[in-house]
Amino acid sequence: MTSLPLIPVDPDAPGARRAAMPPQHLADLDLAGRKDLVTKLGESAFRARQISTHYFGRLVRDPAQMTDLPASSRDRLADQLLPRLLTPVRELACDDGATRKALWRLHDGSLVESVLMGYPDRVTVCISSQAGCGMACPFCATGQAGLTRNLSTAEIVDQAVYLAGVAASGKVAGSPPRLSHVVFMGMGEPLANYNRVIAAIRRLVAPAPEGLGLSQRHITVSTVGLVPAIHRLASEDLSVTLALSLHAPDDELRDELVPVNQRWKVCEVLDAAWAYAARTGRRVSIEYAMIKDVNDQPWRADLLGRLLAGKLAHVNLIPLNPTPGSRWDASPKPVEREFVRRLRDAGVSTTVRDTRGREIDGACGQLAAAEDSGTDPAGEMTA
């Protein structure tokens, strides 16, 4: 059994280890904070709105393209409000360009990933909230790598702004040109970087030029089940979707697959999820990776069905994308179909997640692991 990682629920709490964070960026601040900073630089307050309109409204991240800013002011404003946060390492595409995965190097050398997925009716981006992850789930590439540090609010937001620009450029054929959905399902445990993730959500949903102007209902926050943080999220007056990475309905197995279960058991985690649903009116997404001969037995489907029956919940079964050298593998399709049947017979809404990006190391953390090991994933590459 994997031992429980000793990660504080709130890394911003007194006594939590501080990692070297990047320089402040405009996305770290609300519009009022940007105006205050600009005036302290000796510029007119309206310059904050100008530069914010470029970044959030026009998806321009390069200060050189902000030609309506006076040259005498542009460099100073860019230094203070638009430091470079993400340096591209590689970008891979598959599914005829509908899936694009970006690998970034941060100012301290850490690697993070984000993914754009285009569909006929929407464009979704999956973004990271931490470099690495401290939750130690043994079937997850990011969990195997461990936690490096939390991302800043702006490092989180900048991933979405970049990929929103990719969508707006028309590179994702057959999809709308506007980013519509953001899921916090990339590297890291979002609720372990609570304050910065909440600030990032507020930037994503604030109307331009303060933010990207996305719908709260189109934001999904994933968690392995940090119970106090789930209750805290319920009090934020946000209508985001909570996605609970359950992966096992019984404590014996979940203690191994999701080590934080050693602290908060299945019943406690589900009670927190139901409290969130009651407070927000939002259906909880139960994420369940189908792992061959581990958690895919019929009796576990029946137990999961009993736990969820009558609740405001939907099960999202995930065919496992195995990591190189892992002993874990995806459940066979007949086993998967039987699992779905049993859940639906119990009255539980269930779907199987569309598998995207297998040929570009699509599982979270795989591309970063490949970069660290020097291997070369197949696919289109740009830098």
Side-chain angles (χ1 to χ4, degrees):
M1 181 180 295
T2 307
S3 61
L4 181 67
L6 300 177
I7 301 297
V9 173
D10 184 356
D12 295 316
R17 182 176 64 86
R18 303 281 179 173
M21 299 301 287
Q24 184 174 255
H25 184 281
L26 72 84
D28 290 309
L29 306 168
D30 60 16
L31 190 55
R34 293 168 215 162
K35 289 179 178 178
D36 183 60
L37 179 56
V38 164
T39 55
K40 286 179 180 177
L41 293 173
E43 299 286 343
S44 299
F46 78 89
R47 296 294 182 201
R49 178 172 288 272
Q50 262 186 306
I51 199 168
S52 297
T53 297
H54 279 294
Y55 183 77
F56 282 115
R58 298 171 188 160
L59 308 175
V60 173
R61 299 164 66 251
D62 181 1
Q65 298 180 37
M66 302 178 184
T67 54
D68 58 339
L69 292 171
S72 58
S73 303
R74 194 183 308 147
D75 289 346
R76 182 165 64 252
L77 290 171
D79 286 344
Q80 295 297 316
L81 287 171
L82 289 171
R84 189 171 192 178
L85 301 178
L86 307 176
T87 299
V89 176
R90 64 177 73 209
E91 185 174 315
L92 308 175
C94 67
D95 302 322
D96 295 323
T99 303
R100 310 180 73 91
K101 186 163 189 174
L103 177 67
W104 308 101
R105 194 175 302 279
L106 308 181
H107 80 288
D108 60 353
S110 301
L111 296 171
V112 297
E113 302 169 5
S114 41
V115 183
L116 180 151
M117 294 162 285
Y119 302 91
D121 61 339
R122 69 192 187 280
V123 173
T124 298
V125 298
C126 177
I127 57 178
S128 296
S129 55
Q130 296 179 311
C133 182
M135 297 297 104
C137 299
F139 58 90
C140 171
T142 309
Q144 294 167 32
L147 177 66
T148 301
R149 68 168 174 87
N150 287 328
L151 300 192
S152 70
T153 296
E155 285 174 321
I156 297 168
V157 172
D158 205 33
Q159 298 170 65
V161 171
Y162 171 82
L163 291 174
V166 171
S169 73
K171 290 182 179 179
V172 189
S175 298
R178 177 172 168 76
L179 171 65
S180 56
H181 292 67
V182 172
V183 296
F184 284 80
M185 293 183 175
M187 299 175 73
E189 161 57 52
L191 296 188
N193 188 13
Y194 188 91
N195 290 340
R196 297 182 185 97
V197 165
I198 294 300
I201 292 170
R202 298 198 186 282
R203 300 294 175 274
L204 294 174
V205 303
E210 183 157 0
L212 268 181
L214 303 181
S215 167
Q216 291 186 26
R217 291 176 173 267
H218 291 170
I219 307 290
T220 297
V221 178
S222 177
T223 179
V224 295
L226 306 188
V227 168
I230 294 173
H231 288 302
R232 188 177 173 190
L233 181 64
S235 68
E236 292 286 352
D237 195 28
L238 291 168
S239 298
V240 300
T241 297
L242 177 70
L244 174 60
S245 296
L246 193 65
H247 305 312
D250 56 300
D251 286 322
E252 182 179 5
L253 179 58
R254 195 168 192 265
D255 281 351
E256 179 181 356
L257 294 183
V258 187
V260 78
N261 198 73
Q262 297 168 37
R263 187 175 299 176
W264 296 291
K265 298 301 185 182
V266 169
C267 62
E268 296 174 88
V269 172
L270 289 177
D271 283 347
W274 308 147
Y276 182 85
R279 178 73 178 265
T280 63
R282 301 289 289 151
R283 184 174 69 171
V284 176
S285 179
I286 303 295
E287 309 291 300
Y288 197 102
M290 293 291 289
I291 308 174
K292 180 181 179 181
D293 299 329
V294 175
N295 66 349
D296 58 358
Q297 299 85 355
W299 72 265
R300 283 197 162 95
D302 293 339
L303 175 56
L304 184 61
R306 291 194 297 272
L307 290 173
L308 304 185
K311 301 297 186 181
L312 193 59
H314 172 88
V315 173
N316 186 19
L317 293 181
I318 307 165
L320 185 73
N321 193 350
T323 58
S326 172
R327 66 185 176 93
W328 314 92
D329 202 356
S331 300
K333 285 301 176 183
V335 173
E336 179 186 282
R337 287 193 290 268
E338 177 64 11
F339 207 93
V340 171
R341 185 191 68 79
R342 287 174 178 265
L343 287 174
R344 289 177 176 169
D345 284 351
V348 178
S349 172
T350 305
T351 54
V352 178
R353 178 182 291 177
D354 178 30
T355 56
R356 289 286 196 99
R358 285 182 180 269
E359 59 266 53
I360 56 170
D361 287 334
C364 180
Q366 284 188 354
L367 193 55
E371 179 68 21
D372 279 338
S373 67
T375 59
D376 187 17
E380 174 187 303
M381 184 184 304
T382 61

